[in-house]
Amino acid sequence: MIHLPDRFSRLQPRETLARTQVLERGWPFFLDLCIAAIGLACFYAVVRIAMFWAGRPEPEFIVSLSPRALPHYAFYSVVRIGLAYLLSLLFAISYGYIAAYNQRAEKVMIAILDILQSIPVLSFLPPVMLAMIALFPTRQLGVEMGAIVLIFTGSVWNMAFSFYSSLKSIPRELMEATNIYCFSRVQRLFQLELPYAAIGLIWNSIMSVAGAWFFLMACEMFHLGSRDFRLPGLGSYLQTAADAGNGVAICWGLAVMILIIVATDQLVWRPLIAWSDKFKFEQVESSKRITSPILHLLTQSTALASLSHRLVDPLTESLYTRLAKHRIAKLRQLTTSRPQSRLLSIVVRIVLVIVIAAAVLYAALQAVALLRPLPGAAYLHIFQGAIATFLRVNLALLLASAWTIPVGVAIGSSPRLARIAQPLAQIAASVPATALFPVLLLALVRIGGGMGIGSIALMLLGTQWYILFNVIAGAIAIPSDLKEVATLFRFSRIQRWKTVILPGIFPYLITGLVTASGGAWNASIIAEYFPIKGQILQTIGLGAIISEATGGGRFPVLLLATMVMALMVVTTNRLVWRPLFRLAETRYKLGA
């Protein structure tokens, strides 16, 4: 028997209930104080960033390897990645929306997206940095904006592909329901399209932020011709430590990075994943739900509940009502519109097309003029490098798919396993492989390998996560009623994979493979050309050519290599990925 102290034994049930009520009343107040403290901290961060960016640029910033400098560097890196992610999210939603609903522009926009996702970060580096520095020549803001845009170019494309493929796979009956109830485009976006795409978009956001950490070293410390750009941040800290061979500093930097990743997972991604679970397209609710203590605490906040009830809900209802009335009036106006107004819109479109075509033609002529001095040997060297990189990319995709598909399905099908495996996968995807590559390369040299095998290993480390996170999202999005039907009819494991799992994850898998392919081409700039302890280790490939041309300021070679890489990626997408996308949009689309 357990004997309680006298002060507990004397408590009456009424007194116990009173204390419980006091705690229930005090806990939301404590949450409100925490939310207010977070708001003040964000305001202070904005002030600090504004003061630093408004100052004069530091041409040769000296990166300190002292652990005391890590909190300061981590703060600036988190701000850069956060701003780059917000920019990526806005771009992905806007670009994916237009590409999904504008049939005339869809083919061109997807082709452009294929090209942009295959262009390495270092190929964007010269024009981006020169343009930003020209816009803000006397402020640190120019270099900072250049770094943010570079991080953006390395993390946005998989989000755009995810949102586009989600919009193309929305069930027809849901779209018809929005038309029957006269939803405006804004109301349909926020009440159907974003919720339907939430699962894939959140998991690709996790991958994008992980990719931002992966390319952080290249974005915070780089050479452009004779100029050396260094920004205070974790990326420059790890790059400086790797160049100096300082293993202790590398461990300190990776420890801080892992701490930030775990905190981000628990405070941001886990609540979002639990929140998005309610948007699954299913008729039978699953008994296994994803939970988040942070999300549960936020729902208990009286300040957030009051703000939503008194401000957000009335504003959204008023906005949706006005937009619906405006849409109905616009539809009536279109039925009675005159031919003159239609003719004017056609003329405007023709003029716009002519202006864009003229700009593209001018850029093409300038590119031809820049490539004219290159000898024939340069073309042959780039062609050989393209073949070598193409083979490495496809081998990396095969190796990645072999383990990410079964592991991703296992994680997405088990909330308990996802609670453990998701932070580990996120940490593994976020740690810059370039920080671990010296150890990996030395191990491969000892067993008889070299840069040929090492480059494939580094591509694998940087791109396998695109497939894994998309497969996890696809497994989570499989409706629970389909799983219960498979259980009811006692499907074997092979039957379950053939009829439920593979068809269910197929659209997400294709998105993951497309973005992983582009990521592998992008990672070739690091995988095939690696500086270590004062020497350059490289192998034949387009990535090595681009890295070498960027460091030497040879812009004609950089332009030609980038064009060849983009051409190969677009050709592969047209012959392989686009037919698979159409198959995912038709045969494996959910619907009644």
Side-chain angles (χ1 to χ4, degrees), residues 437-438 441-442 445 451 526-532 535-539 544:
F437 194 52
L441 185 59
L442 291 176
V445 169
M451 280 298 294
I526 303 174
E528 297 174 347
Y529 185 92
F530 192 80
I532 179 174
Q535 58 178 346
I536 303 296
L537 298 179
Q538 66 179 30
T539 184

Side-chain angles (χ1 to χ4, degrees), residues 125-126 130 222-229 548-555:
L125 195 152
L130 293 176
F222 49 86
H223 298 276
L224 184 57
S226 59
R227 302 185 64 179
D228 185 9
F229 291 92
E548 190 176 8
T550 303
R554 295 186 295 161
F555 297 121

Side-chain angles (χ1 to χ4, degrees), residues 162-323:
S162 174
F163 190 67
Y164 163 77
S165 61
S166 296
L167 294 184
K168 298 294 287 186
S169 60
I170 294 178
R172 183 183 302 173
E173 56 267 26
L174 295 183
M175 296 297 294
E176 291 178 352
T178 60
N179 293 328
I180 291 174
Y181 288 100
C182 295
F183 277 23
S184 65
R185 292 184 178 181
V186 176
Q187 188 175 6
R188 188 179 65 186
L189 175 65
F190 283 98
Q191 295 192 346
L192 172 61
E193 292 158 348
L194 283 177
Y196 187 84
I199 295 176
L201 195 58
I202 289 173
W203 281 96
N204 275 277
S205 296
I206 297 175
M207 184 61 239
S208 293
V209 174
W213 285 109
F214 182 85
F215 286 106
L216 192 65
M217 295 170 68
C219 296
E220 290 185 346
M221 186 174 176
F222 49 86
H223 298 276
L224 184 57
S226 59
R227 302 185 64 179
D228 185 9
F229 291 92
R230 300 185 183 188
L231 296 173
L234 273 179
S236 57
Y237 182 92
L238 287 170
Q239 184 66 61
T240 303
D243 292 342
N246 192 334
V248 176
I250 291 177
C251 292
W252 274 108
L254 291 178
V256 173
M257 182 179 292
I258 291 173
L259 181 63
I260 294 173
I261 292 167
V262 172
T264 306
D265 174 74
Q266 295 300 315
L267 298 177
V268 180
W269 300 129
R270 175 59 54 177
L272 286 176
I273 291 173
W275 170 76
S276 67
D277 194 56
K278 64 182 181 180
F279 297 128
K280 289 175 64 175
F281 184 68
E282 58 186 9
Q283 296 178 352
V284 179
E285 185 177 359
S286 175
S287 58
K288 299 179 180 179
R289 311 298 294 183
I290 300 174
T291 59
S292 169
I294 301 298
L295 180 62
H296 178 71
L297 293 177
L298 290 177
T299 56
Q300 303 299 317
S301 172
T302 55
L304 293 179
S306 177
L307 181 66
S308 175
H309 178 69
R310 298 182 180 181
L311 181 62
V312 178
D313 292 344
L315 285 178
T316 53
E317 289 296 330
S318 176
L319 177 64
Y320 290 157
T321 303
R322 292 183 180 181
L323 290 175

Side-chain angles (χ1 to χ4, degrees), residues 277-531:
D277 194 56
K278 64 182 181 180
F279 297 128
K280 289 175 64 175
F281 184 68
E282 58 186 9
Q283 296 178 352
V284 179
E285 185 177 359
S286 175
S287 58
K288 299 179 180 179
R289 311 298 294 183
I290 300 174
T291 59
S292 169
I294 301 298
L295 180 62
H296 178 71
L297 293 177
L298 290 177
T299 56
Q300 303 299 317
S301 172
T302 55
L304 293 179
S306 177
L307 181 66
S308 175
H309 178 69
R310 298 182 180 181
L311 181 62
V312 178
D313 292 344
L315 285 178
T316 53
E317 289 296 330
S318 176
L319 177 64
Y320 290 157
T321 303
R322 292 183 180 181
L323 290 175
K325 292 180 179 179
H326 178 71
R327 184 173 184 270
I328 295 174
K330 189 175 181 179
L331 290 175
R332 292 175 179 174
Q333 184 179 4
L334 287 176
T335 56
T336 59
S337 60
R338 298 179 180 180
Q340 294 180 355
S341 60
R342 296 181 181 178
L343 179 62
L344 181 61
S345 63
I346 294 175
V347 171
V348 171
R349 292 179 182 178
I350 293 175
V351 172
L352 184 61
V353 170
I354 292 175
V355 171
I356 295 175
V360 172
L361 180 61
Y362 176 77
L365 293 176
Q366 293 297 319
V368 171
L370 188 63
L371 297 178
R372 190 173 300 170
L374 288 178
Y379 286 86
L380 180 61
H381 181 57
I382 291 175
F383 177 76
Q384 293 174 347
I387 297 298
T389 304
F390 176 79
L391 295 176
R392 293 191 189 99
V393 166
N394 287 279
L395 181 58
L397 286 180
L398 289 175
L399 294 175
S401 301
W403 78 269
T404 54
I405 294 177
V407 171
V409 169
I411 295 174
S413 302
S414 173
R416 182 178 299 178
L417 179 60
R419 192 179 302 113
I420 302 173
Q422 179 205 332
L424 297 179
Q426 191 179 343
I427 291 170
S430 303
V431 173
T434 48
L436 304 176
F437 194 52
V439 179
L440 177 63
L441 185 59
L442 291 176
L444 289 173
V445 169
R446 288 182 180 179
I447 64 175
M451 280 298 294
I453 300 177
S455 59
I456 297 175
L458 191 59
M459 283 184 184
L460 193 62
L461 289 174
T463 60
Q464 58 193 352
W465 312 111
Y466 290 100
I467 306 175
L468 177 64
F469 282 108
N470 276 280
V471 171
I472 293 174
I476 291 176
I478 295 177
S480 301
D481 36 0
L482 295 184
K483 297 179 183 178
E484 294 189 3
V485 168
T487 303
L488 181 65
F489 285 94
R490 297 180 181 179
F491 282 8
S492 65
R493 182 170 297 181
I494 296 178
Q495 288 177 322
R496 189 182 295 265
W497 273 87
K498 288 177 61 177
T499 58
V500 177
I501 296 176
L502 286 179
I505 68 171
F506 189 77
Y508 296 86
L509 177 61
I510 298 303
T511 301
L513 288 172
V514 171
T515 53
S517 176
W521 284 99
N522 205 328
S524 66
I525 61 173
I526 303 174
E528 297 174 347
Y529 185 92
F530 192 80

Side-chain angles (χ1 to χ4, degrees), residues 130-171:
L130 293 176
M132 292 300 170
I133 293 174
L135 287 175
F136 308 97
T138 61
R139 293 288 183 269
Q140 179 71 16
L141 180 62
V143 183
E144 293 286 345
M145 290 300 296
I148 291 172
V149 173
L150 288 177
I151 297 173
F152 162 83
T153 59
S155 59
V156 65
W157 317 120
N158 60 307
M159 294 173 61
F161 267 116
S162 174
F163 190 67
Y164 163 77
S165 61
S166 296
L167 294 184
K168 298 294 287 186
S169 60
I170 294 178

